[in-house]
Amino acid sequence: MKHNLQIQVLKPGLHTTIQDQGRWGHMAYGVPRSGAMSVLDAVKANWLVGNPPNAPVLEITLMGPTLALEGGGQIALAGAPIKATLDQQPISHLQTVNVLGQQTLKFGRTKDQCRTYLAIRGDWKVASWLDSVSAAVTKPQLLTPQSILTKGLLWVVESQGQLEIRQIHGEPPKNQKIRVMPGPEYSRLNVQSITDFLTREFIVSAQSNRMGYRLDGTLNNFTPAGELISSGIVPGTIQVTNRGQLIVLMADAQTTGGYPRIANVIAADLPRMAQLRPGDPLQFSLVSLSEAQRALSRSKF
Amino acid sequence: MILKEKVLGNMELLPFGDQALLVNFEQRIQVEVNQKVMAMYQAVKAADRAEVTFLIPAYCSLVIGYNPEISDFQHLRSWLKELKIEMEGSVEPERKLKIPVCYHLSYGLDLKEVAKLTGLKVESIIDLHTSHTFRVFMLGFLPGFAYMGPLPEKLQCARMSTPRKKVPPGSVGLAGNQTGIYPDEAPGGWRIIGKSPLPIFRTQGQEPFLFQAGDLVRFEAIEDARFQEIQVQCAEGIFDWESIYET
């Protein structure tokens, strides 16, 4: 049986966007990759409703939206725990939830982490640009008008049949260090700067968003290496500015840059990085490529 | 031709996190070095391997993303080392583009400042900018933003110490030995000497990006009347795009 679920935005929340896994094929033209900041959590949410891993999800940041649902379907939440109610009844995290008729889905603030992912079973009828529905970084209103939530926005998700309820047992977030591999310009740092980078507790600054996380403070005894010839950067690349400030590049980052790239966050730890909020502390630890590969195979969902 | 030191120069293959590999060529801004980058970029693209997830060619480097579930750095490195690069055959011939630019003072917001900095007359600046063929070394910063060069030495000047908050789309700027066109309104510190009526970043129809790395570009000075005319033609979809490609 065919179900249609119509979603209308009553309140958009702080910064709510539609994301899939991004537009990887156009980075050579300077187009940011975009996509879910925590791909792992987006994949979990999609699994709970039986969608493919790359299906669109709603990425909710810190303060969630209020949505009017009409029709029938199945939804699920993953990522940051959040206060969420369906017609004032609290709904479970990490579990398939059935919706039917006219209902109001209301979100509050996220707890402990930054981003919650809402998956909806079926085929999202939203416009894509360059093979992805993820909100574009430049000209989003023109290129992906449905992917940044605004009041009144409406879209439909079509699905075939119902899925048995699925569940994932959540683990409390581990407060471990963010593991990095040395970047191409790592060796340009002096001993004091390296020691500082690997021992200090940094704080995520308020100037952090989907493009990058700026960390508070500057590296001890940092001596600028001068501007480099622009070269590729990827989500997870850690740049150091001329005054020694660290920037961890994230999903919406530019594709090239001229600051020294001192490290790259390993793939297994990018979801944890994406879940840090402004004000959260973090520490880095250095790992080898083979450790990074082992960590990734262990972090599989 | 086999990928040999002789062909690609001093090429270094480095891990770039655990999902990408960085190929560093000789670290200098030079046409010959960039041709090597583009040859490798084209060869990797043409091989169309499932594990390659993205490519970022730049002045003298190439980032190759891979899917760590089906490949790893060691595999990719040995494949790249054996990759046959047909420097002649597989490389697409460089396209030649002629880009109209109006160098009026109303568009060339920094023309007078550039004249002061370089000691050149405004006419000489325009002459120099339109008499050279520039290479698109890479795209970056914004979708479709082409870094072109090298600029003749006489035209070189440093970026603005305080960048503009908003540079109008289509603005043609100078920065060090580079020149470029802003595809979109954006903050920027390049010194603006003119404006092109062509949409550089196209949001509908045709290919979204006017430039690609490796293009050869010549600028053509136009009067304001022609600028207005082209702008209208582009908006109405009747501009003859073929006219900008030289054979």
Side-chain angles (χ1 to χ4, degrees):
Chain A
M1 204 177 94
K2 202 166 182 176
H3 294 272
N4 270 356
L5 187 65
Q6 178 189 284
I7 300 100
Q8 186 170 20
V9 179
L10 301 179
K11 280 186 196 165
L14 182 63
H15 183 62
T16 313
T17 56
I18 294 178
Q19 300 286 343
D20 48 25
Q21 289 185 16
R23 38 185 77 83
W24 294 64
H26 305 86
M27 291 171 82
Y29 291 91
V31 182
R33 195 199 73 188
S34 295
M37 287 277 278
S38 171
V39 171
L40 180 70
D41 291 317
V43 169
K44 283 182 183 173
N46 273 325
W47 179 81
L48 289 165
V49 297
N51 279 353
N54 190 32
V57 288
L58 217 55
E59 183 178 277
I60 292 163
T61 317
L62 296 169
M63 181 73 205
T66 303
L67 308 171
L69 309 181
E70 196 181 329
Q74 292 180 303
I75 63 170
L77 299 174
I82 193 167
K83 189 172 178 248
T85 57
L86 194 61
D87 285 344
Q88 279 138 33
Q89 295 298 309
I91 58 168
S92 310
H93 204 63
L94 292 172
Q95 187 185 309
T96 322
V97 174
N98 294 328
V99 294
L100 191 64
Q102 289 192 352
Q103 294 189 290
T104 304
L105 179 59
K106 192 174 173 184
F107 293 96
R109 288 179 180 280
T110 62
K111 202 171 146 260
D112 304 325
Q113 300 178 52
C114 192
R115 293 175 171 89
T116 303
Y117 292 88
L118 167 70
I120 302 171
R121 177 168 172 78
D123 189 11
W124 294 43
K125 299 296 178 192
V126 290
S128 74
W129 176 64
L130 299 182
D131 317 321
S132 168
V133 300
S134 293
V137 181
T138 47
K139 295 189 188 288
Q141 303 302 348
L142 192 67
L143 300 169
T144 49
Q146 290 166 296
S147 294
I148 293 189
L149 263 57
T150 49
K151 193 176 175 206
L153 184 84
L154 190 143
W155 78 96
V156 169
V157 179
E158 280 180 12
S159 77
Q160 299 278 350
Q162 267 216 341
L163 188 78
E164 250 180 75
I165 303 292
R166 289 181 177 183
Q167 218 174 13
I168 300 172
H169 295 286
E171 292 165 42
K174 291 181 209 113
N175 203 14
Q176 62 196 14
K177 294 179 179 178
I178 297 287
R179 289 164 292 184
V180 300
M181 282 170 55
E185 282 82 48
Y186 179 76
S187 58
R188 296 198 185 200
L189 293 181
N190 60 37
V191 179
Q192 288 104 315
S193 291
I194 288 182
T195 310
D196 200 27
F197 174 52
L198 296 173
T199 56
R200 170 124 60 103
E201 184 174 270
F202 293 94
I203 304 288
V204 175
S205 86
Q207 275 109 45
S208 298
N209 53 33
R210 285 183 43 91
M211 290 188 191
Y213 277 47
R214 278 176 185 266
L215 307 185
D216 272 343
T218 56
L219 284 184
N220 187 15
N221 198 30
F222 177 73
T223 41
E227 210 165 311
L228 305 169
I229 300 172
S230 283
S231 178
I233 49 185
V234 297
T237 298
I238 304 179
Q239 291 182 319
V240 50
T241 67
N242 290 337
R243 54 181 203 94
Q245 192 183 28
L246 300 182
I247 304 173
V248 185
L249 297 164
M250 301 302 283
D252 281 348
Q254 299 183 185
T255 54
T256 58
Y259 288 131
R261 301 156 293 184
I262 60 164
N264 279 293
V265 175
I266 68 170
D269 286 358
L270 271 176
R272 245 173 350 100
M273 190 74 216
Q275 288 294 4
L276 294 176
R277 299 162 299 179
D280 281 346
L282 79 155
Q283 276 190 288
F284 295 108
S285 73
L286 205 62
V287 295
S288 67
L289 177 57
S290 50
E291 285 173 279
Q293 286 164 340
R294 277 199 300 277
L296 187 64
S297 53
R298 275 198 303 269
S299 78
K300 282 279 161 46
F301 160 65
Chain B
M1 226 183 290
I2 306 286
L3 183 77
K4 280 181 185 162
E5 296 290 284
K6 210 170 36 181
V7 179
L8 290 174
N10 302 317
M11 190 184 73
E12 216 185 347
L13 301 169
L14 303 166
F16 192 49
D18 53 343
Q19 301 184 94
L21 176 151
L22 171 69
V23 187
N24 262 346
F25 296 82
E26 206 182 330
Q27 292 299 292
R28 50 197 294 187
I29 298 181
Q30 205 185 42
V31 172
E32 292 73 25
V33 177
N34 190 247
Q35 280 169 339
K36 292 170 188 168
V37 174
M38 291 314 296
M40 188 158 203
Y41 166 69
Q42 299 292 2
V44 174
K45 220 167 85 165
D48 196 24
R49 287 171 71 103
E51 79 251 49
V52 174
T53 50
F54 63 89
L55 295 164
I56 312 173
Y59 283 104
C60 39
S61 65
L62 174 66
V63 171
I64 303 174
Y66 60 86
N67 179 351
E69 288 183 22
I70 54 174
S71 188
D72 59 32
F73 174 75
Q74 290 82 358
H75 275 101
L76 202 59
R77 183 177 56 184
S78 20
W79 173 65
L80 287 170
K81 282 189 165 173
E82 284 161 27
L83 177 67
K84 285 178 186 170
I85 295 193
E86 299 290 331
M87 299 290 281
E88 307 295 327
S90 77
V91 178
E92 288 174 29
E94 288 152 345
R95 301 187 308 176
K96 288 180 183 153
L97 284 75
K98 187 176 66 185
I99 303 297
V101 173
C102 182
Y103 294 90
H104 273 204
L105 289 174
S106 55
Y107 300 129
L109 308 172
D110 301 317
L111 258 181
K112 284 185 172 166
E113 183 67 18
V114 172
K116 218 187 290 175
L117 289 166
T118 57
L120 295 169
K121 286 191 177 137
V122 167
E123 298 77 59
S124 317
I125 294 171
I126 299 169
D127 276 350
L128 278 170
H129 200 250
T130 51
S131 59
H132 281 71
T133 297
F134 301 112
R135 178 181 176 84
V136 174
F137 282 103
M138 59 176 256
L139 280 81
F141 171 48
L142 292 171
F145 186 99
Y147 290 81
M148 303 177 222
L151 219 54
E153 216 161 300
K154 282 190 209 159
L155 257 187
Q156 297 184 11
C157 47
R159 285 164 205 244
M160 295 162 71
S161 48
T162 314
R164 269 198 183 82
K165 289 217 171 73
K166 283 179 178 179
V167 179
S171 293
V172 177
L174 306 179
N177 66 352
Q178 314 166 95
T179 182
I181 309 180
Y182 283 78
D184 255 314
E185 184 180 87
W190 292 40
R191 300 196 189 261
I192 307 305
I193 59 166
K195 190 173 174 179
S196 175
L198 298 180
I200 305 305
F201 173 32
R202 298 166 290 191
T203 52
Q204 45 201 328
Q206 50 200 182
E207 277 288 294
F209 308 107
L210 184 57
F211 298 112
Q212 64 189 36
D215 282 348
L216 300 177
V217 177
R218 213 161 51 79
F219 294 104
E220 181 191 33
I222 55 167
E223 289 304 321
D224 199 18
R226 179 69 185 137
F227 180 98
Q228 307 286 348
E229 190 186 7
I230 294 178
Q231 223 172 23
V232 169
Q233 288 175 344
C234 288
E236 289 176 352
I238 53 166
F239 179 71
D240 176 17
W241 283 97
E242 292 300 311
S243 67
I244 66 163
Y245 296 98
E246 300 185 304
T247 43

